[in-house]
Amino acid sequence: AARLSIGSCSVQGQNPDGPGKPNQDRCFDFTHDTTSICCVGVLDGHGKKGHDVAEYFAKALPNEISKCVDEVPTLTPKIAGDLLTDCFHRTQQNAVADKNVQSRISGCAATVAIIVEKQFIVVANAGDCRAVLGVRRQSQVKGEGPQWKWEALPLSKDSTTDRPEERARIEASGGRIDGSGNVWTGPIGIAMTRVLGDSIMPTVGVLSTPEITTFDLNDILGDEDSESFLLLASDGVWGEMSNDEATQALGENLGASLVEVVEAVQRLVEIARGKWQAGLSIEQKIDDTSCVCVVL
């Protein structure tokens, strides 16, 4: 099978108070040799060693996923979801056991997707990176005839205390939640309810278990004329753009060739960074900004 077109881009943020802070975001993608199953991920590190932790998982997750795919005769959505959950757990255990990975009070958000071409997408999410499916469809406008527009279908939910069921688990485990929704144990606080790394946090109900979302591609690919892509991005994008805005911006810049896919994701990152800067001349804080796009 032909390989899917994949483009990715990761740009370091800027922090006027802490110049020289490394980019803590990571992206990965691979296409499995024998099955052409495609896997992509975006990770966003936090804490002093967040870049090291994100780097660790950006290597460990694809290795683990690839090994597991080798061992599965046929991949169904259910098997793919379980496989991703197992890989999150196993890589987490390995990171915690590895003295070289300082993951006690540093960690990363991770969104990982497995795509079985023309069949389904399965997304595993822990944290506040996000996966969105962009679909370009024809819509009828009264008196104007058909118009094409990009629609955004969310394929993950952010793991934050804004969600009642996530908040309830943290509270039941004795975690402290401040006015901004951060979760604390003693002097250590993070902005998410599910992460990789941060091995001090499970005592207050923060999990490394991802939430799984499955999407059947036949639901959109039955329509011959529709175009679609999968977008994974860190909160450098989502902090400033809604799902719809990011999908629209990426869709408008997307062409058919791989070069154009890479240019389109670079353009999306530029737009998001421009919104952080907000036209102000003095240096604003800009988050590390990363995204991966797969044209389906």
Side-chain angles (χ1 to χ4, degrees), residues 178-198:
D178 68 18
S180 307
N182 299 310
V183 179
W184 294 84
T185 173
I188 306 298
I190 62 171
M192 286 156 274
T193 54
R194 294 170 190 261
V195 287
L196 290 169
D198 290 308

Side-chain angles (χ1 to χ4, degrees), residues 15-254:
N15 184 350
D17 304 327
K21 180 177 161 291
N23 183 355
Q24 294 193 313
D25 281 6
R26 295 290 183 274
C27 305
F28 68 79
D29 67 82
F30 72 87
T31 303
H32 190 256
D33 289 338
T34 46
T35 58
S36 344
I37 287 164
C38 162
C39 181
V40 291
V42 168
L43 302 97
D44 179 355
H46 54 258
K48 202 169 177 180
K49 296 285 181 184
H51 48 290
D52 291 340
V53 176
E55 177 73 21
Y56 176 86
F57 283 104
K59 291 195 165 84
L61 278 168
N63 283 343
E64 199 63 47
I65 293 165
S66 182
K67 270 198 317 224
C68 292
V69 169
D70 282 340
E71 290 160 14
V72 176
T74 23
L75 207 55
T76 62
K78 169 85 176 81
I79 290 170
D82 292 348
L83 181 153
L84 285 170
T85 301
D86 288 347
C87 290
F88 270 59
H89 286 158
R90 210 167 313 139
T91 52
Q92 172 75 358
Q93 284 161 357
N94 294 345
V96 173
D98 189 333
K99 295 286 174 281
N100 298 317
V101 186
Q102 296 183 5
S103 61
R104 194 166 167 270
I105 54 173
S106 294
C108 65
T111 305
V112 179
I114 285 179
I115 303 149
V116 179
E117 198 178 353
K118 300 198 176 7
Q119 293 181 45
F120 61 82
I121 298 174
V122 177
V123 175
N125 180 62
D128 58 3
C129 297
R130 207 180 280 173
V132 177
L133 188 67
V135 186
R136 184 170 174 262
R137 306 188 200 243
Q138 257 189 345
S139 56
Q140 292 293 335
V141 180
K142 253 197 168 148
E144 287 184 34
Q147 299 208 328
W148 286 96
K149 87 188 233 306
W150 285 98
E151 238 176 275
L153 307 173
L155 293 192
S156 64
K157 284 186 194 157
D158 299 352
S159 326
T160 66
T161 52
D162 292 343
R163 292 171 50 203
E165 65 277 29
E166 293 290 294
R167 173 177 282 263
R169 187 182 68 250
I170 302 294
E171 286 172 343
S173 308
R176 228 169 56 250
I177 300 172
D178 68 18
S180 307
N182 299 310
V183 179
W184 294 84
T185 173
I188 306 298
I190 62 171
M192 286 156 274
T193 54
R194 294 170 190 261
V195 287
L196 290 169
D198 290 308
S199 60
I200 195 176
M201 299 304 289
T203 52
V204 292
V206 173
L207 305 177
S208 61
T209 306
E211 293 184 283
I212 303 293
T213 309
T214 302
F215 187 85
D216 184 345
L217 285 172
N218 295 310
D219 292 351
I220 52 164
L221 298 176
D223 179 0
E224 280 305 298
D225 292 335
S226 78
E227 293 173 30
S228 54
F229 61 79
L230 175 67
L231 167 65
L232 269 56
S234 68
D235 71 346
V237 171
W238 310 119
E240 292 294 326
M241 298 177 85
S242 69
N243 289 357
D244 287 334
E245 287 172 327
T247 299
Q248 198 63 41
L250 185 56
E252 282 167 8
N253 286 298
L254 212 52

